[in-house]
Amino acid sequence: MYQERKALLNARAKVLKAMAHSTRLFIIEELVKGERCVCDLTDQIGADVSTVSKHLSVLRQAGIVCDDKRGNQVFYRLRVPCIINFFGCVESVLESQAQDHAATLSAVGK
Amino acid sequence: MYQERKALLNARAKVLKAMAHSTRLFIIEELVKGERCVCDLTDQIGADVSTVSKHLSVLRQAGIVCDDKRGNQVFYRLRVPCIINFFGCVESVLESQAQDHAATLSAVGK
DNA sequence: TGGCTTGTTGGCTATATTGCCAAATAGCTA
DNA sequence: TAGCTATTTGGCAATATAGCCAACAAGCCA
């Protein structure tokens, strides 16, 4: 049952795992607007260039972005723009957590 | 820019991270069909009960599932059924990887 | 009560991830 | 060629994750 599906589920998990970091989500959101070079992303994120480069590498290996070297800059773009549609549902999860939190506060009388 | 959005992005990342494991994806797929007790899931997954229980705990803490104790069994169900809509896009990523792979094989003449 | 079943938690080890610095690579320009 | 900029890679320390076993909690039934 599970063993039969494990290979596919692992492949899916790998994609989700690649997205599961605030910096990488930020990069994805930026790339929805259009391609960006590593230096632009690095400026916005405010981390070491090597750190940003490794995050991009994670996204590339997962098949989420692809890159294009022009001159001495490397431009990244989304391979699969529908990625952004994920967030509607993720937001639903966050909202349902918020409701719980509100209910808890209410139960405690705050 | 990034710093301002970081808290929200971290919250989203937490949800994605909770989903990013083959066993937990399997659990989610099962729960789409309806609620399940820990023992049923454990049978299907074939791991130690404690391992499955901890995966369920990760999903619960992320707000993805909720539980309901009845007798000496605990039943889990999805809190946010739209979770399943994620996979269309994840699948697109996997397909575009497969196309690359085919292109590579073709370029090598296989 | 005693024993069985169902789940959760603590503890441990093995493994993976994150982010920094330093070093290496590659393209541009003088 | 020398020097500068842009990016990637290696290495390291700190931290997090996965999965097993053992121990514990709670409900059921004889």
Side-chain angles (χ1 to χ4, degrees):
Chain A
M1 190 64 102
Y2 168 61
Q3 293 303 322
E4 296 159 26
R5 296 186 59 65
K6 195 167 180 179
L8 171 62
L9 295 176
N10 261 319
R12 286 181 177 173
K14 198 176 158 194
V15 176
L16 291 169
K17 200 168 176 179
M19 299 177 68
H21 188 283
S22 59
T23 299
R24 296 196 291 266
L25 288 180
F26 178 80
I27 291 171
I28 290 171
E29 286 194 335
E30 272 303 297
L31 298 188
V32 167
K33 302 177 200 163
E35 64 173 21
R36 294 283 188 274
C37 67
V38 181
C39 52
D40 283 348
L41 293 170
T42 300
D43 284 349
Q44 293 185 85
I45 292 164
D48 195 272
V49 197
S50 69
T51 299
V52 174
S53 179
K54 281 183 184 174
H55 281 304
L56 286 165
S57 168
V58 170
L59 291 171
R60 191 184 337 102
Q61 282 179 48
I64 295 172
V65 303
C66 57
D67 60 332
D68 182 18
K69 183 161 195 170
R70 295 204 293 276
N72 61 350
Q73 291 183 310
V74 180
F75 290 86
Y76 281 82
R77 64 175 184 277
L78 288 184
R79 279 170 61 117
V80 184
C82 65
I83 279 285
I84 202 68
N85 297 333
F86 272 138
F87 299 121
C89 184
V90 174
E91 231 55 42
S92 304
V93 174
L94 297 179
E95 278 162 25
S96 79
Q97 289 174 337
Q99 282 163 23
D100 271 10
H101 185 57
T104 304
L105 290 180
S106 162
V108 178
K110 300 229 169 177
Chain B
M1 188 66 102
Y2 168 61
Q3 292 303 322
E4 296 159 27
R5 295 187 58 66
K6 196 167 178 180
L8 171 63
L9 295 176
N10 260 319
R12 286 181 177 172
K14 197 177 157 193
V15 175
L16 291 169
K17 201 167 176 180
M19 298 177 68
H21 189 285
S22 60
T23 299
R24 296 196 290 266
L25 288 179
F26 178 81
I27 291 171
I28 290 171
E29 286 194 336
E30 273 303 295
L31 298 189
V32 167
K33 302 177 200 161
E35 63 173 22
R36 295 284 187 274
C37 67
V38 180
C39 52
D40 284 347
L41 293 170
T42 300
D43 284 349
Q44 294 185 84
I45 291 165
D48 196 273
V49 197
S50 68
T51 300
V52 175
S53 178
K54 282 182 183 174
H55 282 303
L56 287 165
S57 169
V58 170
L59 292 171
R60 192 184 336 103
Q61 282 179 48
I64 295 172
V65 303
C66 57
D67 60 331
D68 182 17
K69 184 160 195 171
R70 294 205 294 274
N72 61 350
Q73 292 183 310
V74 180
F75 290 86
Y76 281 83
R77 63 176 185 278
L78 290 183
R79 280 169 61 115
V80 184
C82 65
I83 280 286
I84 201 68
N85 299 332
F86 273 139
F87 298 121
C89 184
V90 174
E91 231 53 44
S92 304
V93 174
L94 296 178
E95 278 161 26
S96 78
Q97 289 174 337
Q99 282 163 23
D100 271 9
H101 185 57
T104 305
L105 290 181
S106 163
V108 178
K110 300 231 169 175

